[in-house]
Amino acid sequence: MDSIESLNHSFSTTIDRSFKQRRLRRSHCNYFQGDRSFTDSICRECNSFIKLSSSMAQIPNLDNAPINLTALREQSKKDLFTILNNIRGKKCLVIDQKLSGSLALIVQTSQLREYNVELRYLSTEPVETECGKVVYLVRAQLDLMKTISSQIQNDISKGLQREYFVYFVPRRVVDCEKIFEEEKIHHLLTIGEYPLYTIPLDEDVLSFELDLAYRDFHVDGDASSLWHIAKSIHKLESSFGVIPNVRAKGKASVRVADILDRMQVEDPIISSDVGPPEINTLILLDRE
């Protein structure tokens, strides 16, 4: 009983400390929009309206993490740099506003500019840039596809000739590409993926960045977020070894565990390739 109480105390302490840090770090700071000193934001966790200094959008120190989260973050950074490096010349990177906070925890704007990048936020307004290449970095949301389509059609109506690239975070979705086909711009696009599944928020906190997962599954009956969670864990296992003990409580958690098992069968992680597991136990709990 004492050990259980000790575990509960440790768990609640970690949640409390991490929550306080996330209130500062994860409030959708407009990190990528110019060099303004302050930005207004809505805090995702507590829904309070706050004003943040841009200097607070700092990449967290992960030196004391129990596993090598720095390597995880560096791989995400490398994947993004590879995308940008493969698009030659000056380009305008148009970022989904919901992704700005996540990217701010991985890469600095100064590093992006080293890749000849001009930064913009995705909005309903046309993209104002002199760049001949426009790169969209977006979540797979249908409304965003319509916004992108509208912007490209606006360019065409003005006689602008540009190359367009759309990178889905973390993976491409057929329904989104159908929007491009319906809007008759699919042939103008180079489409890819930026596999950003997990964000280290702190040395002991990882985020899947799934704000709407609870509503999607329990209200809309959309289980795609469960696949996303399982895929994120599977990617962690590819770096830190196959987790030997998985415990799940709740309908959604059990489904995540089942999907994870199927992934290991279909895309097996060979223990001899990654070494002994660094994570001994995974506990999945439903928010109910």
Side-chain angles (χ1 to χ4, degrees):
M1 188 67 177
D2 291 339
S3 62
I4 293 177
E5 291 176 353
S6 175
L7 175 63
N8 288 338
H9 173 72
S10 174
F11 185 71
S12 63
T13 300
T14 300
I15 292 247
D16 180 66
R17 178 164 59 85
S18 301
F19 174 76
K20 290 177 181 176
Q21 292 169 337
R22 288 201 302 271
R23 283 200 301 182
L24 294 178
R25 291 178 179 163
R26 302 293 301 114
S27 55
H28 285 246
C29 171
N30 292 340
Y31 177 77
F32 288 98
Q33 191 169 4
D35 294 316
R36 297 185 300 172
S37 300
F38 293 91
T39 69
D40 294 334
S41 300
I42 298 294
C43 176
R44 181 185 304 170
E45 280 78 17
C46 61
N47 294 324
S48 60
F49 189 76
I50 59 177
K51 181 162 281 193
L52 289 179
S53 167
S54 60
S55 63
M56 297 176 74
Q58 297 176 352
I59 296 177
N61 188 323
L62 304 174
D63 291 345
N64 296 319
I67 56 177
N68 191 358
L69 296 182
T70 300
L72 186 70
R73 182 174 64 195
E74 288 301 310
Q75 183 60 51
S76 297
K77 186 190 299 185
K78 180 181 177 182
D79 290 342
L80 179 58
F81 289 167
T82 298
I83 290 172
L84 298 176
N85 197 46
N86 287 339
I87 302 173
R88 303 296 182 185
K90 190 174 179 64
K91 76 263 322 171
C92 179
L93 179 61
V94 183
I95 300 171
D96 177 352
Q97 295 190 41
K98 288 284 188 178
L99 294 176
S100 63
S102 302
L103 293 176
L105 297 173
I106 294 173
V107 62
Q108 297 175 337
T109 53
S110 58
Q111 293 175 304
L112 288 176
R113 292 192 178 106
E114 291 174 7
Y115 287 81
N116 220 357
V117 167
E118 183 180 287
L119 298 172
R120 294 287 186 275
Y121 258 136
L122 180 62
S123 71
T124 55
E125 298 299 318
V127 177
E128 298 293 339
T129 180
E130 295 182 0
C131 296
K133 299 177 181 179
V134 179
V135 185
Y136 292 95
L137 196 63
V138 294
R139 294 164 299 136
Q141 299 288 336
L142 298 183
D143 58 324
L144 300 182
M145 303 308 105
K146 291 185 178 296
T147 297
I148 293 171
S149 299
S150 176
Q151 292 181 345
I152 293 175
Q153 289 166 347
N154 180 73
D155 287 351
I156 294 173
S157 69
K158 293 180 178 179
L160 297 176
Q161 294 185 346
R162 289 171 172 167
E163 294 180 53
Y164 301 97
F165 304 80
V166 177
Y167 283 88
F168 290 104
V169 182
R171 65 186 181 112
R172 60 199 297 175
V173 174
V174 172
D175 287 347
C176 289
E177 294 192 47
K178 284 182 178 178
I179 297 292
F180 294 144
E181 292 173 354
E182 292 169 0
E183 297 293 335
K184 297 180 172 53
I185 63 162
H186 192 279
H187 65 287
L188 300 175
L189 306 175
T190 299
I191 298 176
E193 297 177 340
Y194 175 38
L196 184 64
Y197 284 93
T198 310
I199 308 290
L201 300 185
D202 201 355
E203 60 192 24
D204 55 358
V205 181
L206 292 172
S207 173
F208 297 133
E209 300 297 275
L210 294 172
D211 296 356
L212 304 177
Y214 185 86
R215 188 198 71 182
D216 289 346
F217 180 69
H218 288 285
V219 178
D220 299 335
D222 181 358
S224 59
S225 59
L226 305 187
W227 185 94
H228 181 121
I229 293 169
K231 181 66 174 180
S232 301
I233 297 170
H234 194 58
K235 283 179 65 68
L236 282 176
E237 291 182 313
S238 68
S239 298
F240 305 114
V242 178
I243 303 171
N245 304 299
V246 178
R247 305 286 184 265
K249 184 173 178 59
K251 182 170 65 173
S253 295
V254 169
R255 288 188 62 177
V256 170
D258 290 341
I259 297 170
L260 189 59
D261 286 341
R262 290 203 304 272
M263 287 179 175
Q264 177 60 14
V265 172
E266 296 168 2
D267 183 21
I269 296 169
I270 310 302
S271 298
S272 58
D273 292 342
V274 296
E278 297 183 48
I279 303 172
N280 179 264
T281 303
L282 169 67
I283 301 174
L284 301 167
L285 299 173
D286 277 19
R287 278 178 49 196
E288 288 186 305

